[in-house]
Amino acid sequence: MTKIDIYSGFLGAGKTTLIKKMIQEAYKGQRLVLIENEFGEIGIDGGFLQDAGINITEMNSGCICCSLVGDFGKALEQVIEQYHPDRILIEPSGVGKLSDVIGAVNKVTNEEVTLGYTVAVVDAGKVKVYMKNFGEFYNNQIETASTIVLSRTTGISDKKLDTALELIREHNDHATIVTTPWEDLTGEQLIAAFEGEHTLAKHMEETEHEHHHHHDHDEHCCCGHDHEHEHHHHHDHDEHCCGHDHDHHHADEVFTSWGLETHKKFDKAFLEGCLKELDSGKYGMVLRAKGIIAANDGSWIHFDMVPEEYDVRSGAAAITGKLCVIGSKLDEKGIAALFGV
């Protein structure tokens, strides 16, 4: 029996960190496969999780629906046939719709393959602003999850946390919500929370066809932008690339991904200056930046950035440096100039 668990979460929410914790603490002795679906051309997180001895299948595609409805089912079947895993962990793109992922998984479930729990990792401090700006993609993850795990709750004010919970409950009054910082919880405690009643997951399974054929969204999506002709494609897609019409927005109509591989060596202070600039709004709305790059002193720098915060640390070498920036209405030429690449 293979169980498929889905860990979703908007850009930079912390789902990769949560997955690593679960691998270390909750899945010992199980044969695991992790399937990642990165948005954009440059995949960063794969090496991070391969260090934990996990098989990685990465599918980089701008159009999240294409990869899920098209080759995603085939990838799942191949993984099951090749590895015979006890558990498959799916980490969708941060801008992917959880309902689409569940729909794709349901197409391959049978007596030997079942859908387990569906988790949404939500940055507690950014619920209000992300709902306002990226509702169509952001809300779908919250609405569809059987368990919602709040990240970055340490130090947040009670008022801000209460507001976040109120907004979440408006979109999902069924899910289990984990508010305790997950570093204070064991993997076993989290599994117990995840394996509660999956009322939403079951509801999604029963009504999955409606999610793929009855999308009633406004002409201008709730992120507040007019996307009539604003396509930032790094990939060429047919208009009906998934075999059915889309009357909802593709991720690559709303979000831009800029990324490249580079052998350039960076100074840590220079890099931190770049990340502060990215957060200034001068280069569009930057929602996520991450990378593994060589440093001038011969070490390697790993970094992550979300609005209003960043983390720069030393880490293992990569075969080449990688930079990735994801956001909305990005000034790609300006970003390249900022990094000097």
Side-chain angles (χ1 to χ4, degrees):
M1 174 67 72
T2 297
K3 184 175 287 187
I4 301 175
D5 299 326
I6 305 169
Y7 286 84
S8 68
F10 201 63
L11 296 163
K15 59 185 179 294
T16 301
T17 304
L18 177 60
I19 288 172
K20 187 174 184 183
K21 176 183 175 68
M22 299 304 292
I23 289 169
Q24 292 172 338
E25 298 182 14
Y27 301 137
K28 290 180 180 178
Q30 298 187 42
R31 186 181 294 109
L32 295 178
V33 169
L34 172 69
I35 295 182
E36 290 189 308
N37 199 124
E38 290 275 11
F39 177 82
E41 295 179 328
I42 304 295
I44 302 289
D45 293 332
F48 171 65
L49 287 154
Q50 280 171 334
D51 291 340
I54 307 302
N55 296 306
I56 306 287
T57 300
E58 285 191 67
M59 294 171 293
N60 296 326
S61 175
C63 179
I64 188 72
C65 199
C66 290
S67 58
L68 291 177
V69 181
D71 64 355
F72 189 74
K74 185 181 294 183
L76 274 179
E77 291 172 352
Q78 289 174 347
V79 163
I80 293 167
E81 183 177 344
Q82 181 176 352
Y83 296 107
H84 304 287
D86 299 313
R87 194 180 294 266
I88 296 174
L89 309 180
I90 297 179
E91 182 184 3
S93 161
V95 296
K97 292 184 178 179
L98 181 53
S99 59
D100 284 345
V101 188
I102 292 174
V105 170
N106 282 335
K107 293 181 187 301
V108 301
T109 55
N110 53 45
E111 293 180 356
E112 297 298 320
V113 181
T114 62
L115 174 64
Y117 39 78
T118 55
V119 178
V121 182
V122 174
D123 186 327
K126 295 182 171 60
V127 174
K128 188 174 182 179
V129 65
Y130 282 176
M131 277 190 176
K132 178 181 179 181
N133 288 295
F134 302 101
E136 181 179 353
F137 297 90
Y138 186 78
N139 293 345
N140 182 273
Q141 297 181 13
I142 291 172
E143 291 163 357
T144 312
S146 60
T147 305
I148 295 169
V149 179
L150 296 185
S151 63
R152 300 186 176 91
T153 54
T154 302
I156 193 173
S157 69
D158 287 344
K159 182 179 180 181
K160 194 164 189 177
L161 183 57
D162 287 342
T163 299
L165 289 169
E166 183 179 342
L167 290 169
I168 289 169
R169 281 301 184 204
E170 287 177 4
H171 290 272
N172 186 337
D173 60 0
H174 298 87
T176 299
I177 301 180
V178 178
T179 59
T180 301
W182 66 55
E183 57 266 26
D184 295 338
L185 300 171
T186 65
E188 288 73 17
Q189 286 177 298
L190 288 168
I191 286 286
F194 297 168
E195 292 182 343
E197 292 186 15
H198 302 309
T199 51
L200 271 183
K202 290 176 181 176
H203 175 72
M204 281 299 305
E205 187 171 353
E206 292 167 0
T207 61
E208 179 268 330
H209 65 283
E210 295 180 14
H211 285 270
H212 287 279
H213 298 287
H214 302 290
H215 295 274
D216 296 320
H217 295 297
D218 294 335
E219 183 178 354
H220 304 306
C221 83
C222 42
C223 61
H225 301 299
D226 182 346
H227 303 300
E228 187 176 2
H229 296 294
E230 191 176 298
H231 295 257
H232 301 286
H233 287 280
H234 286 269
H235 307 272
D236 294 320
H237 300 297
D238 295 329
E239 185 175 355
H240 306 307
C241 54
C242 305
H244 58 79
D245 292 347
H246 292 287
D247 52 356
H248 63 300
H249 292 100
H250 289 178
D252 60 354
E253 292 178 314
V254 181
F255 303 98
T256 309
S257 171
W258 172 89
L260 55 75
E261 296 181 340
T262 178
H263 62 273
K264 179 179 175 177
K265 292 180 172 60
F266 288 82
D267 176 75
K268 183 179 178 181
F270 172 80
L271 174 64
E272 291 180 344
C274 291
L275 298 180
K276 290 175 182 176
E277 280 291 294
L278 287 179
D279 205 22
S280 69
K282 297 176 185 176
Y283 300 92
M285 187 171 187
V286 175
L287 296 166
R288 185 82 162 98
K290 54 186 176 179
I292 302 172
I293 52 177
N296 288 331
D297 62 5
S299 64
W300 282 75
I301 299 171
H302 294 217
F303 70 87
D304 291 278
M305 176 223 155
V306 294
E308 299 179 0
E309 59 186 282
Y310 64 84
D311 176 46
V312 178
R313 60 200 179 276
S314 298
I319 57 172
T320 190
K322 294 181 179 181
L323 296 167
C324 182
V325 179
I326 302 171
S328 179
K329 297 186 176 180
L330 294 183
D331 175 6
E332 297 183 37
K333 289 183 179 178
I335 293 171
L338 175 66
F339 282 103
V341 293

